[in-house]
Amino acid sequence: MDKASDSKMREKTDARRHGPADRLLEALSVDPAESDTKTAAALRALAEEVLFLRGQEARLSRSLAVAEALADRDALCPVFNRRAFTRELSREMALSRRHGASLCLVYIDLDRFKLVNDRFGHPAGDHALKSVCRLIEASIRETDIVGRLGGDEFGIILSHAQKGDAELKTEQLTECIGDLVISAPEGQTGEPVALGASCGIVQWDGQMGPDTLIAAADEAMFRAKAARKKAAE
């Protein structure tokens, strides 16, 4: 072997000896050079296995985080599903209780959404839901939390908000959703459908659990929907 080849081999050996495995051993105050060749090789192999397992753990943690995020999201709209929304509501209740802050829950049910599905088909209904979701997200604060609670039902958690604040917000949302008109998709015919929304508001009393609060807001929404229908007669 010539001197150049010998020099390159030594450089490769030195690089291996100063790789991640050796740095790990150095951090553990373990010097393979103080051991015989067989033990030194075993120590490096063990360090490399530790590093490999660390990498695997990091990759699995990232995959788990992605899976958890997907499990929390609604299948259609980019908001929380009902399970995740209920969990977030429970957390917000705990924070409100700890800091003595107010909290309101808004329950939204779309008007004439079934007509969209019946007249134009479910793809048009999906488009309508996504449009409503965008309107809601554009109308709330970054700290507010949105979830899809059912087919055409949405919930909004308004932290640090009194009922009067929530009423102003729902008036704005009702107006925005009322301006949303779903037209016939390309290749179809039919009269456009103007959506609407009925909203129920409940201010948390500090005692109700998340499911009870959601049920109370749902009931308030039905009362609001009935009042809207009566007013329209």
Side-chain angles (χ1 to χ4, degrees):
M1 182 182 295
D2 57 32
K3 290 184 178 180
S5 297
D6 185 53
S7 176
K8 288 183 180 179
M9 183 169 288
R10 283 199 301 272
E11 287 176 2
K12 289 181 179 178
T13 302
D14 288 341
R16 285 196 298 270
R17 288 178 178 173
H18 292 86
D22 282 278
R23 289 195 290 273
L24 174 60
L25 291 171
E26 183 179 352
L28 296 172
S29 301
V30 176
D31 185 1
E34 295 178 355
S35 306
D36 58 72
T37 304
K38 187 175 181 179
T39 302
L43 288 170
R44 288 193 177 92
L46 180 60
E48 288 171 355
E49 181 68 14
V50 169
L51 292 172
F52 172 77
L53 292 174
R54 280 184 179 178
Q56 285 285 81
E57 181 184 16
R59 286 188 288 274
L60 288 171
S61 294
R62 288 193 294 271
S63 296
L64 180 61
V66 171
E68 288 177 342
L70 290 173
D72 283 349
R73 309 308 286 182
D74 180 71
L76 178 66
C77 301
V79 295
F80 284 121
N81 56 32
R82 188 181 185 106
R83 180 191 62 82
F85 182 83
T86 303
R87 181 197 65 214
E88 293 302 310
L89 178 57
S90 181
R91 289 178 178 175
E92 289 298 319
M93 286 176 167
L95 289 172
S96 294
R97 182 181 291 111
R98 184 182 308 162
H99 300 294
S102 57
L103 181 149
C104 284
L105 178 64
V106 177
Y107 199 109
I108 302 172
D109 181 82
L110 301 183
D111 299 331
R112 295 176 292 282
F113 175 74
K114 185 177 183 300
L115 183 57
V116 174
N117 279 334
D118 292 344
R119 185 171 294 177
F120 302 133
H122 288 283
D126 290 348
H127 171 72
L129 289 173
K130 291 177 182 177
S131 298
V132 169
C133 189
R134 286 193 294 270
L135 283 176
I136 293 173
E137 292 197 306
S139 302
I140 60 174
R141 304 168 298 178
E142 289 186 5
T143 54
D144 298 332
I145 298 171
V146 183
R148 184 179 172 206
L149 305 182
D152 62 344
E153 299 171 340
F154 295 87
I156 308 174
I157 303 169
L158 302 174
S159 58
H160 299 278
Q162 300 289 337
K163 190 171 183 180
D165 302 320
E167 288 172 344
L168 289 174
K169 178 59 61 181
T170 56
E171 286 176 11
Q172 178 188 1
L173 284 170
T174 300
E175 183 177 346
C176 289
I177 296 172
D179 290 337
L180 187 60
V181 177
I182 307 301
S183 300
E186 186 176 353
Q188 291 184 235
T189 59
E191 287 293 321
V193 178
L195 289 180
S198 298
C199 303
I201 306 168
V202 175
Q203 182 167 338
W204 185 47
D205 61 3
Q207 301 297 322
M208 287 186 285
D211 291 321
T212 305
L213 184 59
I214 290 174
D218 187 15
E219 183 179 343
M221 179 276 295
F222 275 111
R223 290 196 300 269
K225 184 180 286 287
R228 283 164 60 85
K229 287 182 178 179
K230 186 175 182 180
E233 291 176 354

